[in-house]
Amino acid sequence: VTSIGNYAFSDWAGFTSITLDTACSIGDRAFNSCTNLKKFTVENKDLKLGNYVLSCCTALEEVTLPFAGESFEKAEANKATNLSSVLFGYYVYNKIYGNGIPNSLKKITITGGTIIPDNVFSGFELVEDIVLPNTIVKICNNAFNGCKSLTNKDMIPESVTEIGEYAFRNCAGLKDINL
């Protein structure tokens, strides 16, 4: 599969796990409201993510991506959009605006790339573990700002040589860190 269209699997409750291992373009809301989806994995860096690809996937526990952003090129150029808006979108309920990150999401794994872009994980409040590869050399400004539940003291790979301003601001759960 090289392309998955907009809303292609929207509202399909049959998925519990999705793994994509080929170069692929994923359309807007392609897996919208897959309410039993627990694990989403993309293995190939030749990926382009549409908007809100995993919106309303309320059971999602784990996401694995080949880079931190909507495309490899944007991630490497530090021009990636915050992943909450790319993957989940936003909502308005009773005049309260919020990100659409499911409360069940506890782990995000990035398998490649050299940069964690500005703001890319900002606001992932309930995620407990973000795993980064040993290829990462730079963590940019505000990258993990507001990730209050992070607890993995070994999350910064030895390959990192630069950490930007406010990169770990408001990460109250991170009591110790190995640098």
Side-chain angles (χ1 to χ4, degrees), residues 92-97:
V92 177
Y93 176 75
N94 201 19
K95 297 183 181 180
I96 298 172
Y97 181 78

Side-chain angles (χ1 to χ4, degrees), residues 61-158:
E61 297 171 355
E62 187 174 343
V63 171
T64 300
L65 296 171
F67 47 80
E70 64 268 48
S71 71
F72 182 76
E73 294 78 19
K74 284 189 175 187
E76 290 299 292
N78 192 20
K79 294 186 181 197
T81 303
N82 181 290
L83 279 176
S84 68
S85 62
V86 173
L87 295 175
F88 307 111
Y90 296 95
Y91 67 89
V92 177
Y93 176 75
N94 201 19
K95 297 183 181 180
I96 298 172
Y97 181 78
N99 62 37
I101 302 168
N103 291 340
S104 56
L105 183 61
K106 300 300 178 201
K107 183 176 183 180
I108 300 172
T109 301
I110 302 299
T111 58
T114 61
I115 294 175
I116 300 299
D118 290 344
N119 303 301
V120 78
F121 292 109
S122 183
F124 279 73
E125 293 181 1
L126 298 177
V127 173
E128 297 170 357
D129 192 13
I130 298 176
V131 178
L132 304 176
N134 281 327
T135 57
I136 300 296
V137 295
K138 182 177 182 181
I139 296 174
C140 296
N141 300 337
N142 293 297
F144 300 100
N145 185 3
C147 293
K148 297 176 182 178
S149 299
L150 283 180
T151 58
N152 182 357
K153 69 179 185 175
D154 295 317
M155 73 174 288
I156 301 174
E158 290 181 15

Side-chain angles (χ1 to χ4, degrees), residues 32-91:
N32 177 66
S33 294
C34 290
T35 54
N36 290 320
L37 181 63
K38 292 184 182 302
K39 187 175 182 180
F40 181 77
T41 302
V42 179
E43 297 174 346
N44 192 305
K45 78 171 187 157
D46 294 322
L47 166 74
K48 302 264 187 276
L49 290 172
N51 293 313
Y52 320 137
V53 170
L54 299 170
S55 66
C56 301
C57 293
T58 54
L60 193 63
E61 297 171 355
E62 187 174 343
V63 171
T64 300
L65 296 171
F67 47 80
E70 64 268 48
S71 71
F72 182 76
E73 294 78 19
K74 284 189 175 187
E76 290 299 292
N78 192 20
K79 294 186 181 197
T81 303
N82 181 290
L83 279 176
S84 68
S85 62
V86 173
L87 295 175
F88 307 111
Y90 296 95
Y91 67 89

